[in-house]
Amino acid sequence: MAGENLLEIEDLSIGIKRGGRQVRIAEDVNLTVGVGERVGLVGESGAGKSMVLRAIAGLLPRGVEVLSGAIRYDGKNLLDLRPSQRLRLMGPEIAMVFQEPMTALNPLMRVGEQIAEASIRYKGMSRRAALARAVELMSYVGIPDPKTRATAFPHELSGGLRQRVMIAMAISLKPRLLLCDEPTTALDVTVQHQVLRLLEEMCDEVGAALLFVTHDLAVINQTCRRLAVMYAGHVIETGTTEQVLHDPRHPYTRGLLESAPDFDRPERLLAAIPGSAPNLADRQPGCAFAPRCRDAVESCFAGEPTLHATIDGRQTACFRADELFQKVNA
């Protein structure tokens, strides 16, 4: 099955009704994840990346809905399934690790019981056997003294341990697709590195594909082999991680990289992207990034670019991508 797409997102638009009108918070998103592949989705807060992830899992907030497009998992459009059919996929096939486990874990249940719940529901295991399995999983994800900590409530564990509990829950049924919504944001650097390494090991162990949402380019570089960059609800650049992070085509991606520290070149001054992300409820014609772009010309404010192949085979949503590439490489 190598090379096959496990997940295909096609022309996905997500919106919310506000003030009597519809606001699109993600629009015409196209993305694929191959079997066993690790793909990153990166962008500023509010870019729409977490909403794409939640649309896949069927966990959009109240009032937010899929307006159009398709989300195909293993060839089936998830949007055509009944809620009960979709629920049966969550756990055995698709699992999710959330940004803040304190809001995702049940504060009134011991963590061992929460990990055991999936084995009881989907595998028909007895409570006793499922709890024993939960302790094994806690040990597997590196939680010290798992038997004792299985009896703890979420608030009695550190942030790093709670995140490991979430990972244990996610992998308990050996899913084929793991969705991660900024799972290391609230962790210190050392714990973050441990959790990322654990996720990589888990994906290798169970053969799961990974779709990893973050705003941290360093995290993507460590974890994913391919990535997509989002801005104002649109995917504006895709490619291998090495291509995009070392030779970006879109001015926004370049801006992101220039505003991030480079530990190989500590003397380099950081350059902030001017302005701020657009208000999605008041979208203006043209490229959403044009008001902040130093390379924008008149045509950038007139029409909206779509994701297309550039002369070097990459994909970007910029009218001037080829022109700027040739200028740099002249």
Side-chain angles (χ1 to χ4, degrees):
M1 297 183 69
E4 294 181 7
N5 287 328
L6 181 64
L7 178 72
E8 295 177 329
I9 299 174
E10 182 180 353
D11 298 331
L12 178 68
S13 293
I14 302 167
I16 183 172
K17 289 186 177 178
R18 182 177 294 173
R21 61 196 184 96
Q22 197 176 75
V23 177
R24 297 200 169 205
I25 52 182
E27 189 166 9
D28 296 330
V29 173
N30 288 277
L31 186 68
T32 62
V33 181
V35 174
E37 187 182 22
R38 298 173 193 163
V39 177
L41 190 57
V42 69
E44 293 175 87
S45 296
K49 54 193 187 300
S50 290
M51 288 301 168
V52 171
L53 213 64
R54 288 177 173 270
I56 299 167
L59 297 173
L60 286 171
R62 182 174 297 180
V64 181
E65 59 182 343
V66 172
L67 304 176
S68 60
I71 304 173
R72 296 188 183 88
Y73 170 79
D74 203 18
K76 299 184 290 287
N77 188 355
L78 299 179
L79 302 179
D80 291 338
L81 301 181
R82 295 190 300 272
S84 59
Q85 293 175 311
R86 202 159 176 182
L87 187 61
R88 283 197 291 271
L89 288 176
M90 294 304 299
E93 294 286 332
I94 304 171
M96 188 162 178
V97 179
F98 296 88
Q99 178 176 351
E100 178 43 67
M102 272 303 288
T103 60
L105 295 171
N106 186 334
L108 303 179
M109 283 181 68
R110 301 180 192 277
V111 295
E113 293 175 340
Q114 296 190 57
I115 297 171
E117 200 170 24
S119 297
I120 294 171
R121 174 180 296 183
Y122 292 100
K123 290 189 174 182
M125 294 176 68
S126 67
R127 183 176 180 275
R128 184 173 181 176
L131 285 172
R133 168 68 174 155
V135 171
E136 290 177 4
L137 286 166
M138 291 176 71
S139 175
Y140 186 57
V141 298
I143 297 177
D145 193 10
K147 192 169 184 179
T148 299
R149 286 198 163 94
T151 64
F153 291 96
H155 73 273
E156 296 177 308
L157 300 179
S158 68
L161 290 181
R162 285 195 295 267
Q163 200 57 277
R164 289 173 186 267
V165 169
M166 284 291 301
I167 294 171
M169 292 174 64
I171 67 168
S172 62
L173 299 178
K174 297 185 177 181
R176 298 179 65 200
L177 176 63
L178 191 59
L179 308 174
C180 291
D181 188 9
E182 306 208 43
T184 61
T185 296
L187 307 177
D188 63 53
V189 175
T190 302
V191 178
Q192 174 179 285
H193 177 74
Q194 293 171 349
V195 169
L196 290 174
R197 188 172 60 187
L198 175 63
L199 283 169
E200 291 181 83
E201 291 172 355
M202 299 302 101
C203 287
D204 288 341
E205 181 72 22
V206 302
L210 177 70
L211 181 55
F212 196 105
V213 160
T214 185
H215 62 272
D216 192 326
L217 295 173
V219 167
I220 288 292
N221 193 33
Q222 180 180 337
T223 310
C224 301
R225 298 187 180 95
R226 188 164 60 86
L227 69 86
V229 182
M230 284 193 74
Y231 182 77
H234 292 79
V235 173
I236 52 92
E237 183 160 12
T238 66
T240 67
T241 301
E242 183 177 0
Q243 284 176 328
V244 176
L245 296 188
H246 291 90
D247 190 20
R249 288 288 170 268
H250 198 282
Y252 172 67
T253 312
R254 286 204 307 272
L256 278 182
L257 291 167
E258 289 171 0
S259 65
D262 185 343
F263 296 106
D264 293 327
R265 293 185 296 158
E267 75 284 356
R268 182 176 67 86
L269 296 177
L270 303 185
I273 300 174
S276 57
N279 180 355
L280 296 180
D282 187 29
R283 285 287 301 273
Q284 300 301 309
C287 172
F289 187 62
R292 307 174 71 186
C293 181
R294 64 183 180 224
D295 296 312
V297 293
E298 187 176 348
S299 60
C300 300
F301 295 89
E304 186 171 340
T306 57
L307 200 65
H308 63 278
T310 60
I311 55 175
D312 61 336
R314 304 272 292 283
Q315 281 209 316
T316 187
C318 174
F319 290 128
R320 303 192 65 203
D322 288 341
E323 177 190 347
L324 295 172
F325 171 71
Q326 289 173 324
K327 183 177 179 181
V328 170
N329 292 275

